[in-house]
Amino acid sequence: NENVATAKTMILDGNSSSITFGPKTTAPFIVGENITLTIQNITLENFNLSRFSFLGSGSSKAKIIFGDNVILRVSEDITITTGGLVLTGNTTIMGVSNASTLDLDSQAISLTGADKTLSLQGLNINYKAADAIKINTSSATLVYKSSQVYIQSSGVTFDNGNLKIHDEVSFCG
């Protein structure tokens, strides 16, 4: 039960490795006030934002950015609130069991970066707001694969970009 605390802005490059969080782990990553932690080239097993503690408040609150080649493997139901996931690179959010539900509040996920892709695979996705996912660039792509999508309102906002649907995706609303 070791913790990693960041006292300055840093990039954690996993070099294609993985980190496995134990079930219901407390926050082993502590990100200091006014600090940005960028994570890239890594797989995070049993991902949940509760595995990260963000110090500070308001404009001084710590931030996390997911860069290129990140796989977030979800093994439990999680809720992502406003500003929860900032993606600047190719990212896959993948359910590891059929019961994994991703609840998305307003502006929960933001994808920026030219030619970047967000892939949602093997999840039950519950859009709780019309702008739950924000695609911020004309060449970005959102991919649904083997997922069920529950829409209370439109759920995805495209300034520009692409939508791809693969393998047994159902939309309910």
Side-chain angles (χ1 to χ4, degrees):
N1 278 344
E2 297 293 323
N3 288 341
V4 176
T6 60
K8 62 181 184 175
T9 295
M10 67 177 282
I11 296 173
L12 173 63
D13 190 321
N15 198 24
S16 300
S17 296
S18 65
I19 295 175
T20 301
F21 296 106
K24 305 293 181 189
T25 303
T26 56
F29 281 92
I30 302 166
V31 185
E33 186 173 353
N34 284 319
I35 301 300
T36 299
L37 171 63
T38 300
I39 297 176
Q40 61 190 26
N41 301 314
I42 197 162
T43 298
L44 299 179
E45 301 281 350
N46 298 325
F47 173 77
N48 192 324
L49 280 171
S50 66
R51 302 328 192 234
F52 298 86
S53 176
F54 301 101
L55 303 181
S57 62
S59 63
S60 68
K61 186 167 181 166
K63 297 177 188 124
I64 186 169
I65 295 173
F66 294 93
D68 254 336
N69 305 314
V70 173
I71 299 172
L72 307 175
R73 292 178 50 92
V74 177
S75 60
E76 61 187 337
D77 295 347
I78 63 172
T79 298
I80 301 176
T81 58
T82 300
L85 286 182
V86 177
L87 312 175
T88 61
N90 296 316
T91 303
T92 299
I93 304 173
M94 178 183 297
V96 296
S97 70
N98 292 334
S100 296
T101 297
L102 193 62
D103 287 322
L104 301 175
D105 289 337
S106 175
Q107 298 182 23
I109 299 175
S110 173
L111 175 62
T112 45
D115 300 317
K116 302 303 177 185
T117 298
L118 168 59
S119 180
L120 302 172
Q121 300 179 15
L123 293 162
N124 297 316
I125 304 162
N126 183 19
Y127 287 103
K128 298 168 108 182
D131 60 349
I133 296 179
K134 177 80 171 162
I135 306 297
N136 294 316
T137 182
S138 63
S139 57
T141 302
L142 174 61
V143 176
Y144 293 107
K145 185 173 183 180
S146 303
S147 294
Q148 287 198 341
V149 181
Y150 301 93
I151 301 174
Q152 295 176 6
S153 44
S154 66
V156 180
T157 303
F158 284 91
D159 286 340
N160 289 299
N162 305 292
L163 173 64
K164 295 183 180 179
I165 301 171
H166 299 277
D167 302 332
E168 298 183 31
V169 175
S170 63
F171 290 87
C172 309

